[in-house]
Amino acid sequence: MSTPRPQNPPARRPEVTCEAAHGIARELWGVNGRVTELPSDRDRNFRVEAEGESLVLKVTDAALDEIELAAAALERLDGAGGSLAVGRSLRSLSGALAQTVSGGDGRSHRAWVVKWVEGTPLAEAGDRSPELFRALGEELGRARVALDGWDHPGLDRDLKWDLRRGAEVAWGREGFIQCPRERRVVREGLATAEVGLASCGARLRVGVIHGDANDHNILVRESSPAAWPCGLLDVGDIDRGWVLGEVSIAAAYLLQGEPDPLKVLTEFVAGYHQSDPIPEAELGLILELLRLRLCVSVSVSAEQRAEEPRNEYLSVSYKPALELLALIQRWDPEEVRRTLAVACGLEPADVRRDVGSLEERRRALLGPNLSVSYRDPLEIVRGEGRYLMDVGGRSYLDGVNNVPHVGHGHPDVVARAARQMGALNTNTRYLSDVRLGFVERLLGTLPAPLEVVYLVNSGSEANELARRMVHAHSRRGD
C-alpha cells in the first residue's frame, strides 16, 4: 500500500538529561536526590529519590491549563476511597504548580512534580490470576465513579485519545504503518468498529474518565505472581468521553499476550461492573471500543515512531496490540456480549435481526435470476481487506467475491478508481490511451499465445463470454 503518509508529524519530546533534571529538582523544588529517567511517550519523566521521599519530575510541552487539570484530577482521585493510590502534585519553592525550564536545544518547557507511588507496574509483574483481573476491574470502576460530578474547564479539549473521535484519529494515521500486512489488520479492525458503533455510538453515556489505565499505569503490591492492585498513574489523558471507554481502554491492554483473552475480559468486566454498573445495552459495545482503542494505539504509535525511532517505549505495545486486534477480528460480537452479560449477572437480550422485510423488498424489486446465498441470508454493509461485515458488526472471511486477491477497500485501488472516475468513466466506443496502456500491461503478464483482451465487468460475464466463444469456434452446441 503506497498511500501518502499524513503530514504534521508529532513534536519532539523535551531534550532534558538526568543531570539537568537533577538541577531542576534541586533549584526549583529544593529536592536533592538520585535521578533516573522513566519511560514516556511524549514528555520526559524522572524519578528523584531523596532521603525519606521519592518524587516524579515531569518536563512537558503541555499548556499550563492541562497541568492544572491533571493536578486537580489527582486530588479528586486521591479521595476515591479505593486501593489505587495516586501521586498528588507538589508546588515549587516559589509556590507555583509548574515552572518554566529550558531543554538542551534551547526550547522552553514546563516542569512540575508529583509524589512517587510505590508498587510494580503490572506490565513488569508475574503471572496474573482471574482474581487479579476481577479485583482490578472493581478498583478501576471505583476510581471512575469518583470522577462523577466533578468538573473542570480543561476537560472539554481536543484530545486524540478521546474514542469519540477515535476513527478519525486512526484513519488519519494508519498511513504511517509501514508493513502492508499490519496496516491491513488495522484497517479491518477500524471498519469493523465503525460498523459496530454506527447505530448506537451516539447514545453512549458521556462522563469523566481516566482514559489510560494500561498495564504500565497500573501498579500492584505483589509482583510474583501479580496481586493486589495498589496504584494508578498518569492522568495526562483524563477527559470527558464515553464512560464505557474506561473499562474498554483498560481491557485493550490487559488482554494483550494473555493465553485466554476472552476469560480475562470476562473477569475484568464482571469486577468493573460491581462498582461502576454497565447498562446491558452497552455491554456489546465494549468489544468495539476495545477494538477501536487498539487501532488508535497502533496508528498513533506508528506516527510517533516515525518521528522518534529510538524511543523503545513507543513500541512497547505495538506488536501485542496488532496480535490481539487480529485475534478479536475472529470473535463473534454477539457471543461476547452474551458472555459478558451472564458474567455481570444480567439477562442477555435477544438482538437477532429480522431480515424478512429486506428479503420481501428484494423479491419485489429485483429479478428472480439474482440468487441470495445462505439459508440465513446475510445483510452485509461493509467490506475491508479480507473481511465482510454484517449489519450487526460480525466479520466474515471473504473467499467468495471478486476481490480476495487485493482485499476490499484497498486504498490504492480506491484512490486510482476515484481518480479515473473523476476524469472519465465511459465505455469502449471511444479511443483511449489509458485503456490501451492498461491492456498492454495486462498482456505483459500472460503467456505469448494470448494476445487479445476482452474487457468485461464480472466473473459471470467472463464465463458467459468464454462459453459463447467456444460455441462460435467449435460450431457446436453446449
Side-chain angles (χ1 to χ4, degrees):
M1 300 181 185
S2 58
T3 301
R5 294 183 182 177
Q7 300 300 309
N8 303 319
R12 304 190 313 276
R13 289 194 303 156
E15 293 190 15
V16 178
T17 63
C18 285
E19 182 180 1
H22 181 272
I24 293 170
R26 185 185 68 247
E27 296 169 14
L28 299 180
W29 272 268
V31 179
N32 188 16
R34 185 168 68 94
V35 175
T36 53
E37 186 168 3
L38 303 171
S40 176
D41 66 333
R42 58 177 180 252
D43 302 327
R44 293 283 182 182
N45 295 331
F46 303 89
R47 181 180 183 180
V48 184
E49 298 177 81
E51 186 174 349
E53 65 177 342
S54 285
L55 309 172
V56 177
L57 172 69
K58 296 174 171 287
V59 183
T60 177
D61 286 322
L64 181 58
D65 58 354
E66 292 186 41
I67 298 175
E68 291 172 342
L69 169 63
L74 289 171
E75 184 176 352
R76 178 77 178 193
L77 287 169
D78 194 41
S83 64
L84 297 182
V86 296
R88 282 202 178 204
S89 62
L90 297 175
R91 293 187 173 267
S92 68
L93 294 175
S94 68
L97 174 62
Q99 297 279 161
T100 300
V101 299
S102 295
D105 56 358
R107 290 186 296 148
S108 293
H109 313 286
R110 289 185 175 87
W112 65 299
V113 166
V114 299
K115 290 184 177 181
W116 175 265
V117 180
E118 292 295 338
T120 301
L122 183 59
E124 300 173 9
D127 294 338
R128 311 171 187 182
S129 67
E131 293 76 20
L132 170 71
F133 289 115
R134 187 173 286 260
L136 178 56
E138 189 169 351
E139 291 297 337
L140 182 61
R142 185 174 290 112
R144 214 292 309 163
V145 169
L147 298 172
D148 280 340
W150 176 67
D151 203 1
H152 190 282
L155 284 170
D156 296 304
R157 51 182 173 155
D158 186 21
L159 188 69
K160 67 185 175 185
W161 299 106
D162 184 346
L163 286 182
R164 291 176 295 178
R165 55 184 297 250
E168 167 201 342
V169 169
W171 281 119
R173 290 165 172 80
E174 53 88 19
F176 281 100
I177 302 173
Q178 296 184 7
C179 173
R181 183 189 64 81
E182 294 173 353
R183 187 180 178 196
R184 181 185 64 203
V185 169
V186 170
R187 291 177 62 90
E188 291 167 349
L190 271 173
T192 306
E194 285 187 314
V195 171
L197 292 167
S199 62
C200 42
R203 299 197 300 270
L204 286 173
R205 295 165 299 145
V206 174
V208 182
I209 64 173
H210 174 278
D212 195 19
N214 65 61
D215 52 357
H216 288 268
N217 287 339
I218 295 170
L219 303 180
V220 291
R221 192 177 306 150
E222 301 290 338
S223 60
S224 184
W228 300 106
C230 65
L232 181 62
L233 307 180
D234 192 358
V235 292
D237 292 341
I238 198 160
D239 185 34
R240 197 188 317 277
W242 283 326
V243 173
L244 192 66
E246 191 78 282
V247 64
S248 306
I249 290 168
Y253 296 93
L254 296 178
L255 271 60
Q256 293 179 23
E258 290 292 331
D260 190 351
L262 183 56
K263 174 66 173 176
V264 172
L265 179 64
T266 303
E267 294 291 339
F268 179 64
V269 171
Y272 184 95
H273 180 74
Q274 294 303 306
S275 51
D276 190 12
I278 304 168
E280 197 277 334
E282 292 189 359
L283 278 174
L285 298 181
I286 291 176
L287 178 60
E288 302 313 325
L289 294 188
L290 184 163
R291 191 193 317 271
L292 181 57
R293 175 62 182 224
L294 290 171
C295 293
V296 172
S297 177
V298 172
S299 300
V300 170
S301 176
E303 179 192 34
Q304 292 174 325
R305 289 165 64 195
E307 174 65 21
E308 199 175 355
R310 288 183 291 182
N311 184 353
E312 295 182 359
Y313 181 73
L314 300 177
S315 304
V316 68
S317 64
Y318 185 87
K319 292 291 186 183
L322 277 168
E323 292 171 1
L324 179 59
L325 196 53
L327 174 65
I328 64 175
Q329 190 70 32
R330 301 192 293 271
W331 286 4
D332 181 351
E334 177 58 15
E335 289 184 8
V336 172
R337 184 190 67 82
R338 295 182 67 85
T339 299
L340 295 181
V342 171
C344 293
L346 301 173
E347 182 66 29
D350 188 353
V351 296
R352 287 179 296 179
R353 299 176 184 272
D354 182 11
V355 298
S357 60
L358 206 57
E359 289 183 274
E360 291 178 7
R361 287 174 58 202
R362 178 186 171 104
R363 283 194 292 268
L365 297 171
L366 297 181
N369 61 309
L370 301 176
S371 62
V372 178
S373 298
Y374 313 115
R375 182 184 304 109
D376 297 319
L378 303 176
E379 184 181 354
I380 299 297
V381 297
R382 184 79 178 262
E384 182 63 53
R386 299 162 294 178
Y387 293 92
L388 292 172
M389 298 90 188
D390 70 14
V391 68
R394 184 175 185 179
S395 297
Y396 299 85
L397 184 64
D398 185 8
V400 175
N401 293 286
N402 298 330
V403 295
H405 52 306
V406 295
H408 294 277
H410 190 292
D412 286 353
V413 174
V414 171
R416 290 171 184 265
R419 186 165 62 245
Q420 180 58 45
M421 293 183 73
L424 178 65
N425 180 28
T426 186
N427 56 39
T428 55
R429 66 167 57 95
Y430 307 109
L431 296 177
S432 170
D433 179 67
V434 172
R435 183 180 296 112
L436 295 177
F438 166 73
V439 169
E440 287 170 342
R441 291 180 61 189
L442 183 62
L443 286 171
T445 68
L446 302 177
L450 300 177
E451 55 187 20
V452 175
V453 171
Y454 289 85
L455 298 176
V456 295
N457 69 359
S458 70
S460 299
E461 186 178 348
N463 288 334
E464 174 63 17
L465 176 61
R467 188 192 67 79
R468 292 170 60 190
M469 292 175 69
V470 169
H471 177 70
H473 177 72
S474 65
R475 289 183 172 82
R476 295 171 56 187
D478 293 340

